[in-house]
Amino acid sequence: YAMKHNGASFLWICLLGGATASLAQSAPAPSRPHIVLIMADDMGYSDLGCYGGEIRTPNLDRLAEKGLRFTQFYNCAVCVTTRASLLYGVYPDQAGVAMIKAPSCVRLKDNWEYGTYPDDAGMPPRDSIQPARHCVSIAEVLRSAGYRTLMAGKWHGAHLPVERGFDRYYGLLSGCCNFFNPGLRRPGEGEPGRKRPNEARPWGIDDQVIRPYTPENPDFYATNALTDQALKYLDEYARDDRPFFLYLAYTAPHFPIHALPEDIARYRGRYLAGWDELRRQRYERLQRLGLIDARWPFPPRHPQVPPWQEVEDQDAWDLAMAVYAAMIDRLDQNIGRVMDKLRELGCADNTLVLFLSDNGACAEAVHATPDVPPGPMESYRTVDAPWANVSNTPFRSFKMFVHEGGIATPLIAYWPGRIQDPGAVRTEIGHVIDIMPTLCELAGVPYPREFQGETIQPMEGRSLLPTLQGRPRVGHDHLFWEHRGHRAVRAGRWKLVGCSATPWELYDMEADRTELKDMAAEMPDKVRDLADRYAQWAARCKPSSSQTGP
């Protein structure tokens, strides 16, 4: 069904537009750059060709070649928290994300470091952005500066994007869904694979919520469809005298692993070399590309991942990774379509393009259709931990956790004529909270102290614009993470990481970013100092830490 917002909501949106317009300092200058922010979903650190992967990504590789690659950029370990920090420029709890707490840190089945945790059993939704009234979104700030604000993709929030500053929206409002058909079975087709029986994730089109969303087009594929809509927005608005902000939040390569047959065929058989060999190859390429330090030890295979030579059904494992790789290949193809459109419209040279992933690769095991292999619409499968271990090369752990495998993200910045040292690698430490101040500085709009009669909390991030332009940047003294009891602090070369149920671990990120040598016992004063810093941050930034849900 399609559920229209009532007149009061429409009036509220109109008032919002008037309120944001009142913040504008002046009409945008013609030279004010357009902004395209692209996010992948559950993609590992080394999956792209320009980050050491074997997957074909020529379009992103080209952006990296003519732009910058960041090696120490961080997310918030899981999609909902990352998206909250990115959109609001603050830490997740400050943006109203209250994640349900486990009794201690998440320890998964058979003491594995990864897997699934309960999200049913009558519990309130665990993944929901509930922005407090004292937050303001990137879209709200940029619209106040005269930008046209457009979004296609995954939202994962409590309000609709058009209620938080976006002029137009099309996409998935929550979680993950079938790539070929998010809704009901279409005549003449099989039943779409779902995570749970009768599940129907909501989609949004501007101010409509549609559930179930059953596309009429039999060739629907989510990655293509999101790009199609983004291109329509560009055709409609890019020729205006106003700059635009396009947030393109893809759902790939998040499970279910679905891909088009022609893309899968390109990778079938490539992964029969096995995860041990693929990890080694990626590690060596990362060194050759200058993205990792040769001093960092090559981490052993995750302890719960068997040696490849002991795996019986290697062909099935090859298929799973081939489908996952095909999803990233198709993602790259669609980014190429966006860049082609920008060139066609004559605005490519005046557009900042940022690309990143929302967290590390996911080791969760969901096989709702065990009798249907991964790939087609009728399946619902995951790529699983052994291949996620490859995707996160060279780092430890996975999505949900705060070792580097969970929180390190590739970041590519492309801005023709404005980027200093195109093709360079930046070791500058950054975080998704830095996107908001970067775009505020870029747009020439001050971050508001008040918005719609509410006092707005200050941003937590630091602008990356000096780094893009080759100027000195004042970075972070400390960065912090917490997700379901997993905690971390980064302060320069030092990182403190741990869990509410286990002692802190201390790592030297300059000598050992693969986190293999715990120095906590050797440096107890450093542990105490960083632990105290974490406690102070938690007291300041986690007002919801005692809550059990949003």
Side-chain angles (χ1 to χ4, degrees):
Y1 59 91
M3 183 173 59
K4 274 280 187 181
H5 285 343
N6 59 29
S9 294
F10 179 75
L11 176 61
W12 188 94
I13 295 169
C14 292
L15 292 173
L16 171 63
T20 55
S22 69
L23 288 174
Q25 303 301 303
S26 62
S31 61
R32 186 171 292 189
H34 309 294
I35 301 164
V36 176
L37 176 59
I38 305 173
M39 179 173 280
D41 198 349
D42 282 14
M43 191 191 76
Y45 184 81
S46 65
D47 279 331
L48 302 180
C50 54
Y51 275 84
E54 70 293 328
I55 301 172
R56 190 182 74 114
T57 55
N59 294 291
L60 284 165
D61 296 350
R62 192 173 301 114
L63 296 184
E65 180 184 355
K66 298 181 178 180
L68 298 175
R69 280 169 294 173
F70 287 73
T71 63
Q72 298 196 82
F73 199 79
Y74 287 108
N75 54 59
C76 299
V78 73
C79 50
V80 62
T81 50
T82 294
R83 292 161 202 274
S85 282
L86 180 144
L87 284 165
Y88 298 101
V90 293
Y91 285 106
D93 275 77
Q94 294 174 294
V97 176
M99 307 298 287
I100 295 172
K101 301 296 177 184
S104 60
C105 63
V106 180
R107 284 295 173 191
L108 304 152
K109 60 180 183 179
D110 301 324
N111 291 319
W112 287 29
E113 195 181 343
Y114 59 84
T116 61
Y117 44 73
D119 56 0
D120 287 320
M123 300 172 74
R126 74 171 190 271
D127 291 351
S128 182
I129 300 175
Q130 302 279 352
R133 295 178 69 188
H134 55 274
C135 289
V136 62
S137 76
I138 286 177
E140 289 165 333
V141 173
L142 290 180
R143 190 159 74 176
S144 78
Y147 273 73
R148 177 77 67 180
T149 52
L150 312 165
M151 181 180 175
K154 179 174 173 178
W155 174 244
H156 227 325
H159 302 94
L160 288 173
V162 294
E163 296 171 327
R164 296 302 308 204
F166 285 97
D167 296 322
R168 300 295 305 275
Y169 172 70
Y170 169 83
L172 177 65
L173 289 171
S174 175
C176 52
C177 70
N178 193 296
F179 277 74
F180 292 104
N181 181 1
L184 301 177
R185 178 177 179 174
R186 294 180 293 225
E189 294 184 347
E191 187 69 31
R194 296 183 177 88
K195 190 173 185 179
R196 303 177 187 86
N198 302 317
E199 180 182 59
R201 300 280 181 152
W203 277 61
I205 301 177
D206 293 331
D207 64 341
Q208 298 180 62
V209 177
I210 304 171
R211 189 180 202 170
Y213 178 64
T214 308
E216 295 181 2
N217 180 7
D219 295 324
F220 179 92
Y221 182 71
T223 306
N224 293 342
L226 295 175
T227 307
D228 290 344
Q229 190 61 49
L231 300 186
K232 290 177 182 177
Y233 290 152
L234 293 176
D235 276 329
E236 185 173 355
Y237 299 112
R239 293 184 177 89
D240 291 352
D241 57 0
R242 295 172 59 182
F244 61 81
F245 167 56
L246 171 63
Y247 177 31
L248 185 49
Y250 286 107
T251 56
H254 194 295
F255 65 81
I257 49 172
H258 285 156
L260 298 167
E262 59 268 31
D263 293 333
I264 299 172
R266 187 175 292 117
Y267 296 94
R268 200 67 166 97
R270 181 173 296 190
Y271 294 99
L272 289 173
W275 42 70
D276 296 319
E277 176 63 17
L278 267 294
R279 286 183 70 241
R280 184 192 63 79
Q281 291 178 9
R282 288 194 181 193
Y283 178 76
E284 292 176 354
R285 280 194 295 268
L286 283 161
Q287 288 191 41
R288 291 197 298 269
L289 290 169
L291 297 173
I292 66 173
D293 195 316
R295 294 179 299 167
W296 302 346
F298 180 52
R301 179 195 324 109
H302 189 279
Q304 299 296 336
V305 175
W308 176 256
Q309 63 268 25
E310 296 180 8
V311 174
E312 293 182 1
D313 197 351
Q314 294 183 351
D315 186 71
W317 282 105
D318 169 77
L319 173 60
M321 188 60 184
V323 175
Y324 176 86
M327 296 174 77
I328 294 175
D329 188 315
R330 178 62 55 162
L331 171 70
D332 182 82
Q333 293 177 48
N334 277 277
I335 290 171
R337 294 175 63 204
V338 173
M339 298 308 301
D340 287 344
K341 177 60 69 173
L342 294 176
R343 286 187 283 269
E344 174 193 324
L345 295 170
C347 54
D349 290 342
N350 191 36
T351 301
L352 170 66
V353 180
L354 297 174
F355 173 88
L356 71 161
S357 181
D358 61 352
N359 44 251
C362 181
E364 191 172 356
V366 180
H367 297 286
T369 58
D371 297 328
V372 182
M377 177 187 64
E378 294 82 3
S379 71
Y380 199 105
R381 307 285 289 271
T382 50
V383 72
D384 290 5
W387 290 124
N389 196 194
V390 174
S391 291
N392 291 333
T393 303
F395 301 128
R396 281 180 58 184
S397 201
F398 310 96
K399 171 186 177 180
M400 306 181 195
F401 300 93
V402 294
H403 284 92
E404 295 292 280
I407 61 176
T409 182
L411 172 67
I412 298 171
Y414 171 81
W415 194 12
R418 310 291 183 89
I419 292 283
Q420 294 296 313
D421 304 321
V425 171
R426 291 283 191 261
T427 59
E428 180 81 24
I429 298 172
H431 189 282
V432 290
I433 55 177
D434 298 333
I435 300 296
M436 170 74 88
T438 301
L439 301 190
C440 284
E441 184 176 2
L442 189 76
V445 59
Y447 185 78
R449 295 183 179 181
E450 293 186 355
F451 186 73
Q452 295 180 345
E454 297 288 336
T455 299
I456 301 300
Q457 60 187 326
M459 293 181 290
E460 294 285 337
R462 303 285 181 90
S463 174
L464 296 167
L465 192 58
T467 302
L468 302 183
Q469 297 177 334
R471 297 183 284 112
R473 172 186 180 242
V474 178
H476 297 274
D477 292 329
H478 299 82
L479 288 171
F480 301 91
W481 292 264
E482 194 280 334
H483 178 63
R484 290 176 169 262
H486 295 270
R487 306 169 294 174
V489 184
R490 177 77 193 263
R493 69 185 296 168
W494 299 106
K495 181 181 176 186
L496 193 69
V497 60
C499 161
S500 57
T502 59
W504 288 106
E505 303 165 10
L506 180 68
Y507 297 102
D508 180 349
M509 293 284 102
E510 290 187 7
D512 176 33
R513 197 175 168 207
T514 49
E515 298 173 299
L516 297 180
K517 181 176 172 53
D518 179 8
M519 302 183 67
E522 300 173 34
M523 305 184 68
D525 291 344
K526 178 61 70 175
V527 172
R528 280 192 293 271
D529 174 62
L530 294 180
D532 286 346
R533 300 276 187 174
Y534 174 85
Q536 294 167 18
W537 168 80
R540 179 177 68 86
C541 293
K542 294 182 61 58
S544 60
S545 59
S546 63
Q547 297 179 8
T548 58

